[in-house]
Amino acid sequence: MECLILRNITTSLPTVTIPKNNCFIPEGIDLADPDYNVSRRIDLIIGAEHFYTFLKGGLMNLGESSPTLLESVFGWLVSGKSSYAPIPHPPLCRISTLESLDRNIEKFWRIEEVDTKVLSLIEQHCENFYKSTVSRDPSGRYVVKYPKKDRFSHMLGESYTNAVRRLEGLEIKLERNELLKERYHTFMSEFVNLGHMREISLDEEASSVACFLPHHPVVKEASMATKVRGVFDASAKTSTDYSLNDGLLAGPVLQDELYLIILQFRRYKVVLLANIEKMYRMVRIHPDDQPLQCVLFRFSKVAPITKYVLTTVTYGLSPSSFLATRTVHQLAEDEGSSFPLAADALKQDFYMNDFIRGENSVDSAIHLRRQMTELLHREGFRLRKLCSNFQAVLDSVPEEDLVAQSNRTFDPDETIKTLGLSWEPLTDQFRFDMNIGMQQSKITKRIILSEISRLYEPLGYS
């Protein structure tokens, strides 16, 4: 017989001591455990494969609410119920539905896992589709198409009615906030003036199967550039209950994880920060796909509703991030031989449109900045919001392209926002501003998760 020796087998049994006068055991019975009624620890548990070999076959049922006696080689065993069995605590039944909450908490340490990038079959299809359809117009701008699902042509239905209803709701909202209305009209005017949005001609309206996208303003007061920008709702359902995003493929994530980009940036003595102005809108959409991103707008409620079509990669569409970042990589492949330092940086040191990189000398940083500016200009991209911890790196940069246009120096406590973090250029260090004040009398897992979510600190410094 095999035995397992444990520190604790189970809790004391019975759970409470039971008076013998409540058990009604007949006299003259040879019990295996004379103190069966006393609550004490268990010394030995015999497995079911052996237990029945010790039984002799005798059985005494002493009645309802009374124990049952079984005859064994050790004597009679007492089991079953007793009329006296006080329960120290009432029975409880608890159902917990914290699975999703637990998964959210788990995400906070999953960020430390390093994944190997392997494209799925769908992601590889998006990559192949991009390569086979990308082109450049006479000005050097890249022209791309949206990757679509196989059933795309059967998925989209009528979308005009919902777009009109959403526009009317937007106009009511803007009428209640004059400043927001002014800023949003300025944003939409810029779209038209830059050629990123054009009015649909009568011929196009008659021949094209269009998808109209509702849109709304997003306010970002912390932005040093555009305080209000429009977001186009490609997830709005059409009459078939499918949206434009339902029919498009998102494409793979091409850039490194955020924490890797930040770690690479910390290796250098001289820091250079910048971003690409209007990166999405510098990539043009092929005329065949432009009818998929039609919008309705008017600059006055008394004017007729005008139909427009967006001509560039657009916020809110699921493949937009892939197409924009893939185009930056394509630029590095096509033109990088003349700018090797910048080509390497385009592929490794961007997170969305934010560039964060460094060099070990001022001269090298200046060389990198000049290469980046020239290479991006080949596609029409503009590098702006430049910043460095060494002022000499920025000496020849126009004032309007600097992150701080008022002067070229920084105060000791002045910070610059980069990749969601606060960076002090003068001291070249991060600052973390935290305001954790859990005033609730009872701290729960949900409250802790809410407070943790307010912190944005991917490297675990704080």
Side-chain angles (χ1 to χ4, degrees):
M1 182 183 297
E2 295 183 359
C3 296
L4 296 177
I5 300 176
L6 305 174
R7 289 182 179 273
N8 295 298
I9 297 177
T10 184
T11 57
S12 297
L13 293 177
T15 54
V16 295
T17 297
I18 302 172
K20 284 190 175 182
N21 57 6
N22 285 272
C23 295
F24 309 110
I25 303 297
E27 296 183 1
I29 296 295
D30 184 19
L31 298 175
D33 178 14
D35 295 323
Y36 64 90
N37 62 312
V38 178
S39 177
R40 57 179 55 165
R41 72 184 185 88
I42 302 300
D43 298 316
L44 178 67
I45 292 180
I46 299 175
E49 60 180 316
H50 302 292
F51 174 75
Y52 293 99
T53 63
F54 299 127
L55 298 181
K56 298 178 67 174
L59 175 65
M60 292 187 188
N61 193 331
L62 304 181
E64 187 178 355
S65 299
S66 296
T68 298
L69 303 184
L70 295 173
E71 188 179 14
S72 73
V73 296
F74 307 110
W76 288 86
L77 306 176
V78 181
S79 64
K81 296 190 295 185
S82 169
S83 59
Y84 176 86
I87 301 175
H89 301 289
L92 298 176
C93 178
R94 179 173 180 266
I95 298 176
S96 177
T97 57
L98 296 177
E99 182 181 359
S100 60
L101 186 62
D102 291 338
R103 276 200 299 265
N104 288 334
I105 295 176
E106 186 178 349
K107 290 179 182 178
F108 290 110
W109 64 76
R110 289 240 179 240
I111 193 174
E112 300 180 10
E113 295 184 0
V114 179
D115 295 326
T116 303
K117 287 187 177 180
V118 179
L119 296 185
S120 67
L121 291 177
I122 294 178
E123 290 173 339
Q124 187 61 56
H125 168 75
C126 292
E127 171 66 15
N128 296 338
F129 177 83
Y130 180 90
K131 289 181 178 180
S132 64
T133 57
V134 66
S135 61
R136 297 182 82 169
D137 66 13
S139 69
R141 295 282 177 85
Y142 283 90
V143 181
V144 300
K145 287 187 172 183
Y146 286 121
K148 307 174 186 67
K149 296 180 180 178
D150 292 337
R151 296 182 57 252
F152 179 81
S153 59
H154 303 287
M155 297 178 73
L156 294 183
E158 191 271 332
S159 57
Y160 182 82
T161 303
N162 184 45
V164 171
R165 181 181 58 82
R166 293 276 294 272
L167 176 63
E168 292 171 347
L170 171 62
E171 290 176 335
I172 294 173
K173 178 180 179 179
L174 295 180
E175 288 298 325
R176 295 172 179 170
N177 188 331
E178 194 62 34
L179 178 59
L180 179 62
K181 177 182 176 181
E182 179 184 348
R183 288 177 171 180
Y184 197 56
H185 281 196
T186 299
F187 174 84
M188 297 298 282
S189 295
E190 181 192 61
F191 251 73
V192 175
N193 295 335
L194 293 177
H196 301 162
M197 182 172 78
R198 61 176 177 79
E199 190 172 343
I200 297 176
S201 66
L202 293 178
D203 291 340
E204 287 178 304
E205 187 172 347
S207 61
S208 298
V209 178
C211 180
F212 289 89
L213 305 179
H215 52 94
H216 62 275
V218 171
V219 180
K220 191 176 182 181
E221 292 292 348
S223 173
M224 290 176 288
T226 307
K227 302 293 184 182
V228 174
R229 66 179 178 89
V231 172
F232 302 92
D233 185 7
S235 296
K237 301 295 184 181
T238 65
S239 60
T240 58
D241 205 33
Y242 286 108
S243 68
L244 176 59
N245 275 344
D246 290 334
L248 298 177
L249 299 172
V253 176
L254 301 177
Q255 296 171 325
D256 287 334
E257 296 285 349
L258 176 59
Y259 76 95
L260 290 176
I261 294 174
I262 296 176
L263 286 176
Q264 290 169 182
F265 142 75
R266 297 312 297 161
R267 295 182 300 169
Y268 302 104
K269 177 182 178 181
V270 183
V271 172
L272 180 63
L273 307 180
N275 70 27
I276 299 176
E277 183 181 32
K278 299 179 177 67
M279 185 175 79
Y280 282 26
R281 291 158 58 186
M282 293 299 107
V283 183
R284 292 180 175 166
I285 289 296
H286 193 281
D288 290 349
D289 281 353
Q290 288 181 12
L292 296 178
Q293 44 189 36
C294 295
V295 297
L296 302 175
F297 195 67
R298 56 184 173 184
F299 292 92
S300 171
K301 288 194 69 174
V302 298
I305 295 176
T306 304
K307 298 176 183 178
Y308 296 92
V309 64
L310 303 173
T311 62
T312 67
V313 171
T314 302
Y315 313 111
L317 275 67
S318 52
S320 295
S321 177
F322 163 69
L323 292 175
T325 55
R326 182 62 181 85
T327 299
V328 171
H329 288 196
Q330 190 65 39
L331 176 64
E333 294 175 12
D334 293 344
E335 308 280 358
S337 58
S338 302
F339 309 97
L341 189 61
D344 177 68
L346 283 184
K347 291 186 175 182
Q348 296 185 12
D349 300 296
F350 269 88
Y351 190 79
M352 298 305 293
N353 68 326
D354 288 317
F355 173 66
I356 177 168
R357 170 71 180 253
E359 292 292 333
N360 290 320
S361 70
V362 171
D363 289 341
S364 297
I366 294 174
H367 185 53
L368 171 63
R369 175 181 60 77
R370 288 173 176 169
Q371 280 202 14
M372 288 284 296
T373 302
E374 288 294 325
L375 176 56
L376 290 170
H377 182 69
R378 296 282 180 99
E379 202 279 343
F381 289 129
R382 178 186 176 189
L383 202 64
R384 59 188 302 276
K385 288 189 181 179
L386 283 92
C387 180
S388 176
N389 57 331
F390 282 79
Q391 204 56 49
V393 177
L394 307 175
D395 281 346
S396 61
V397 177
E399 290 285 339
E400 63 269 18
D401 291 337
L402 297 175
V403 69
Q405 298 179 15
S406 58
N407 55 58
R408 293 178 177 271
T409 60
F410 294 96
D411 297 329
D413 294 330
E414 189 170 356
T415 60
I416 300 297
K417 279 285 188 179
T418 177
L419 302 182
L421 301 175
S422 296
W423 176 67
E424 296 181 359
L426 201 63
T427 59
D428 186 22
Q429 62 186 17
F430 290 124
R431 176 193 292 177
F432 301 101
D433 300 318
M434 294 174 285
N435 183 20
I436 301 298
M438 293 187 290
Q439 305 298 327
Q440 293 85 350
S441 58
K442 184 178 181 181
I443 305 301
T444 65
K445 185 187 293 186
R446 192 173 299 279
I447 291 174
I448 292 174
L449 178 61
S450 175
E451 294 292 337
I452 292 175
S453 298
R454 294 169 58 190
L455 304 177
Y456 186 79
E457 205 279 88
L459 295 182
Y461 286 148
S462 58

